[in-house]
Amino acid sequence: MILSAIVTHPIPIFFIVMLIILLGPLLLNRLRIPHIIGMIVAGVVIGPFGCDVLHNDESFRIFGQVGLLYLMFLAGLEIDMYHLRLNLRRGLFFGLLTLVVPLAAGILTAIYVQKLDITASLLLGAMYAAHTLIAYPVAARYGITRAPAVIIAVVGTIIAVVGSLMVIALAVSIGHDGVINLSDVLFLLLRMALWAAALIFIYPKITRWFFRNFSDRVNQYVFIMAMVFLAAWTASLIGLEGILGAFLAGLVLNRFVPAASPLMTSIEFVGNALFIPYFLISVGMMINLRVVGNIDTLIAAGIMLAVGILAKWVPAFIVQKVNHLDPFGRKTIFGLTVAHTAVALAVVTLGNEMGLLSDTILNATILVILITCSIAPIITANAAPKLKIAMMSDDESMTRQTRVNNTLIAVSNPLTAPQLVELGVLMRNTRSHRFYAIHVRNDNSPSAKAMSANALALAKSSAAAADIAINEIERYDLNTVTGVLNALAERDITEVIVGMHRRSAVIDSFYGTKIEQLLQSTNRMVLISRIYMPLNTIGRICVAVPRSAQYESGFARWVRCLARLTRQLGCRIIFCCHPDQQPLIREIIIDGSYGIRTEFRTVESLDSLIMLTARVHEEDLLVVISAREHSVSHTDEVTELPGMLQRNYARNNLLVIYPEQFGEDPTHLTSIFHH
């Protein structure tokens, strides 16, 4: 075709693909059709079996494979590890069901209905069992990736794929040797176990070292991608599917990429804008509708569709009943696991090349791929909004936390502005917040104005990288504290975070006069931070809580604030506190449904507190709850805290919190100020 000859240059090829990615969602959203279907259909139309506008060449195969790996990597990266542990057994149970039921149904149907031998039946059963999370972007778009149903489906996918690989290895062994060679399967399992152990042990160490030494977001993104493709490559070298490596890399790197971080925003943006759509288009380009015209192919496709769809619906139904999920959870699980794509085509192609599966089965598989890839996003998109509403209505504690929190980020040092913004972002209440960045100067010289503009620009860009809007305030005032206090009153700021003062003289106090003046002049919660390393490399959060801290009006707020930070970082939090405070802290965390790993250490006095916190490691964040003078929880021991911190923790990551006093108890923290 003339058009085919024209569209061979890389630039117009890329333009056509970008046009499909752009217009597909815009047009199909009006028709209430999931955009994923549009990508696949567009691939069919422009591909070699459609209008032959573009050839399904090596570039599409490369980008398509990268998109599939990216999809599985995001599935592992976006899983909430706490909820994964809660739903792991249910996920494993579903994985066995969604492997065994389609496998058994496929084998029985192939033997008794399609009259195939045992080897061909094993391959066909493995094809039914293996599926692709092609509808996962729909779940991500609706924000339900942490729902139990989605986690169960993701875990079940990995079990099904691994089991399918074992069955394929058995079938190939029978096809070559004529007998079952279990040693090949056992050797594959051993290789997989050693490979997974190596990734789990090595990846965290390399990642923590890299993130501490290289803070540039571009470098960090490239590093993460390199780790993903290394895991996928090594998986393929030992005889596994690359998608298993990508998924495991996502799980291992999960805690280093907080959900609210700029790095996560970059990863999701690139994947959803480029690689995953490329994968969907490449799936469409593999589909040849011209081969489904004869009656034998249609009959075979009808049998295979009935078996494939029913065998995936039954496990979803059983898991729903056993685990008391709602119907929307069942539909979501079914929608995520019903689609068959590249893995199914690869299995059937292998059987065809071995002479075990006919061309009719191969052509019928193409029709199965088209139909299952079309219905999977529709089913998921139909259930996802209702599941999202159910999740929100169940979370009563979040509906109570609806007060808008005004976050002030006062930055005077451009070097520390990005980290301060990141701290505020990770601690924010995702349901209601407003951010401000302020730089206060008492000098109108060009150099002072330039520093102010630079600090505010860095703060704004750091927030924008995490998809957070921030309002800039450049202020000329008598002194820094006055400027911040005026901003507190003008913008109705609810909380303040302060950067740790750097002592400039021997007689200087630990906090410095500016912070002390700020503490005396406002009853808002003030957080004083000094963190030496990237926040996503923090190993634990150790919280030192003095006696009577529970009597302050801001007690619940700082607990929720630290719970949000812990959830984002995916680490443990250890509260060193009096026994009377432990049930109160535990109740706030449970009521907020934060799903974090919480531990308690009993302390009775400042001396025992020092002994416990002396075990704080270099990778830990020490949080000390203090109190203003004349407050309810202020004691002589609290007065000694600054000196103790200076003597024992001069080189540790430190966050000192002064709770809110006398005000009502809103839900979120946030304002940041640095000297």
Side-chain angles (χ1 to χ4, degrees):
M1 296 178 63
I2 296 177
L3 187 60
S4 176
I6 293 174
V7 189
T8 56
H9 193 276
I11 294 177
I13 289 175
F14 205 74
F15 167 71
I16 292 174
V17 173
M18 291 297 102
L19 203 61
I20 293 171
I21 295 173
L22 172 65
L23 297 181
L26 295 179
L27 296 177
L28 293 176
N29 284 344
R30 294 178 177 273
L31 302 175
R32 299 183 180 275
I33 299 175
H35 71 285
I36 291 177
I37 297 177
M39 301 292 176
I40 297 173
V41 172
V44 175
V45 173
I46 67 171
F49 304 116
C51 297
D52 200 20
V53 177
L54 302 178
H55 292 299
N56 190 12
D57 56 15
E58 192 66 25
S59 64
F60 276 96
R61 285 191 287 273
I62 292 174
F63 272 84
Q65 182 65 22
V66 169
L68 178 58
L69 296 178
Y70 214 109
L71 185 66
M72 294 305 299
F73 167 63
L74 278 179
L77 194 65
E78 292 179 344
I79 284 181
D80 185 287
M81 299 306 291
Y82 175 80
H83 290 95
L84 174 62
R85 286 189 292 272
L86 289 180
N87 295 284
L88 185 58
R89 290 185 179 179
R90 293 193 286 182
L92 293 174
F93 174 65
F94 171 71
L96 292 175
L97 281 177
T98 200
L99 168 66
V100 173
V101 173
L103 183 63
I107 292 174
L108 293 175
T109 305
I111 293 175
Y112 294 106
V113 177
Q114 295 174 290
K115 307 303 180 181
L116 301 176
D117 61 26
I118 185 63
T119 308
S121 301
L122 281 172
L123 283 175
L124 212 54
M127 185 276 290
Y128 289 125
H131 59 261
T132 304
L133 293 172
I134 200 167
Y136 186 82
V138 176
R141 180 164 293 191
Y142 281 98
I144 60 171
T145 55
R146 299 188 178 191
V150 177
I151 295 175
I152 289 171
V154 171
V155 175
T157 298
I158 300 304
I159 302 300
V161 171
V162 172
S164 298
L165 290 175
M166 302 299 110
V167 175
I168 293 169
L170 278 176
V172 172
S173 176
I174 295 173
H176 286 315
D177 304 331
V179 294
I180 297 177
N181 191 350
L182 289 177
S183 61
D184 291 343
V185 177
L186 294 176
F187 186 48
L188 179 60
L189 287 173
L190 177 62
R191 294 199 304 268
M192 183 176 67
L194 294 175
W195 165 80
L199 254 64
I200 294 171
F201 177 76
I202 296 174
Y203 265 38
K205 296 181 181 298
I206 297 176
T207 305
R208 184 174 284 109
W209 173 86
F210 188 91
F211 279 16
R212 286 183 180 177
N213 290 277
F214 302 95
S215 59
D216 181 76
R217 292 194 188 97
V218 174
N219 288 336
Q220 290 185 352
Y221 175 83
V222 174
F223 171 81
I224 290 291
M225 289 298 99
M227 293 295 99
V228 172
F229 294 119
L230 175 62
W233 179 44
T234 53
S236 63
L237 290 178
I238 63 171
L240 299 173
E241 283 289 329
I243 58 175
L244 298 177
F247 178 77
L248 183 58
L251 284 181
V252 175
L253 298 174
N254 185 293
R255 60 131 16 264
F256 298 100
V257 188
S261 67
L263 182 56
M264 175 63 91
T265 303
S266 300
I267 292 172
E268 291 179 331
F269 174 79
V270 175
N272 293 326
L274 182 62
F275 290 120
I276 294 176
Y278 239 110
F279 161 65
L280 298 172
I281 294 172
S282 70
V283 169
M285 295 181 76
M286 294 188 302
I287 298 174
N288 184 3
L289 294 179
R290 300 170 186 171
V291 302
V292 299
N294 65 73
I295 190 65
D296 291 338
T297 300
L298 291 176
I299 292 174
I303 295 172
M304 294 171 67
L305 272 172
V307 174
I309 292 175
L310 186 61
K312 288 297 180 182
W313 182 86
V314 169
F317 178 78
I318 294 174
V319 166
Q320 178 216 347
K321 294 302 182 182
V322 170
N323 296 291
H324 308 291
L325 300 177
D326 55 40
F328 309 125
R330 181 194 69 234
K331 289 181 180 179
T332 301
I333 295 173
F334 175 57
L336 288 171
T337 58
V338 72
H340 301 278
T341 57
V343 176
L345 188 60
V347 172
V348 177
T349 302
L350 174 64
N352 184 261
E353 292 173 350
M354 295 175 61
L356 300 174
L357 298 175
S358 65
D359 291 341
T360 299
I361 299 294
L362 179 61
N363 296 335
T365 302
I366 293 173
L367 191 58
V368 170
I369 291 173
L370 175 62
I371 295 177
T372 56
C373 287
S374 298
I375 66 173
I378 294 176
I379 296 170
T380 307
N382 178 262
K386 301 177 180 64
L387 183 61
K388 179 68 173 180
I389 293 172
M391 290 170 58
M392 294 175 64
S393 62
D394 288 342
D395 193 358
E396 297 179 0
S397 63
M398 294 302 290
T399 60
R400 292 197 298 267
Q401 301 179 25
T402 55
R403 174 182 170 182
V404 174
N405 294 273
N406 295 324
T407 301
L408 181 65
I409 305 177
V411 290
S412 60
N413 188 345
L415 296 176
T416 58
Q419 188 184 65
L420 294 174
V421 171
E422 184 181 8
L423 179 63
V425 167
L426 294 178
M427 288 181 166
R428 81 188 194 281
N429 183 346
T430 55
R431 291 181 65 87
S432 53
H433 65 273
R434 186 181 296 116
F435 282 96
Y436 294 91
I438 184 173
H439 184 280
V440 183
R441 55 182 173 81
N442 53 14
D443 183 0
N444 269 331
S445 65
S447 60
K449 291 181 179 179
M451 177 175 287
S452 176
N454 188 24
L456 291 172
L458 287 171
K460 186 172 184 178
S461 64
S462 299
D467 200 22
I468 301 296
I470 194 168
N471 301 294
E472 300 172 79
I473 305 173
E474 184 178 6
R475 195 178 191 95
Y476 177 80
D477 220 315
L478 295 175
N479 57 61
T480 302
V481 175
T482 302
V484 171
L485 291 174
N486 288 335
L488 289 175
E490 294 167 359
R491 267 76 177 183
D492 191 26
I493 299 300
T494 50
E495 297 87 19
V496 183
I497 305 178
V498 185
M500 181 65 72
H501 164 72
R502 291 180 175 83
R503 300 182 67 183
S504 57
V506 176
I507 61 173
D508 199 359
S509 64
F510 180 65
Y511 294 139
T513 56
K514 292 181 180 180
I515 292 180
E516 290 176 349
Q517 291 172 12
L518 182 64
L519 290 171
Q520 294 170 4
S521 304
T522 179
N523 64 350
R524 300 301 184 186
M525 183 169 70
V526 177
L527 292 90
I528 309 169
S529 67
R530 184 192 67 199
I531 302 176
Y532 295 118
M533 63 177 59
L535 287 167
N536 56 350
T537 63
I538 296 293
R540 300 182 305 175
I541 298 178
C542 303
V543 187
V545 187
R547 290 289 301 270
S548 304
Q550 68 270 31
Y551 299 122
E552 299 289 354
S553 61
F555 174 75
R557 180 181 296 155
W558 67 254
V559 174
R560 289 194 291 264
C561 163
L562 294 178
R564 287 191 290 268
L565 178 62
T566 305
R567 181 172 60 185
Q568 288 291 336
L569 297 181
C571 60
R572 285 184 298 156
I573 186 167
I574 303 173
F575 290 94
C576 304
C577 58
H578 191 271
D580 294 343
Q581 298 165 336
Q582 295 178 11
L584 300 176
I585 294 173
R586 187 180 290 108
E587 181 182 355
I588 294 170
I589 293 174
I590 293 175
D591 183 61
S593 301
Y594 293 109
I596 57 177
R597 291 177 291 170
T598 308
E599 298 178 14
F600 291 92
R601 304 287 187 271
T602 300
V603 297
E604 298 284 352
S605 64
L606 183 63
D607 292 336
S608 57
L609 186 64
I610 293 174
M611 292 180 62
L612 278 174
T613 54
R615 302 174 186 174
V616 175
H617 304 144
E618 179 185 354
E619 300 174 355
D620 297 340
L621 171 63
L622 173 61
V623 180
V624 177
I625 309 302
S626 191
R628 294 173 176 86
E629 193 174 356
H630 306 304
S631 65
V632 176
S633 59
H634 188 272
T635 63
D636 292 338
E637 289 187 342
V638 172
T639 305
E640 299 173 13
L641 276 176
M644 183 269 289
L645 295 175
Q646 178 62 33
R647 289 190 303 271
N648 301 300
Y649 302 103
R651 298 184 179 277
N652 290 92
N653 304 301
L654 184 63
L655 186 64
V656 182
I657 299 179
Y658 282 79
E660 180 193 38
Q661 292 178 295
F662 315 124
E664 57 183 355
D665 188 21
T667 58
H668 182 40
L669 126 108
T670 39
S671 151
I672 306 173
F673 163 48
H674 189 80
H675 290 279

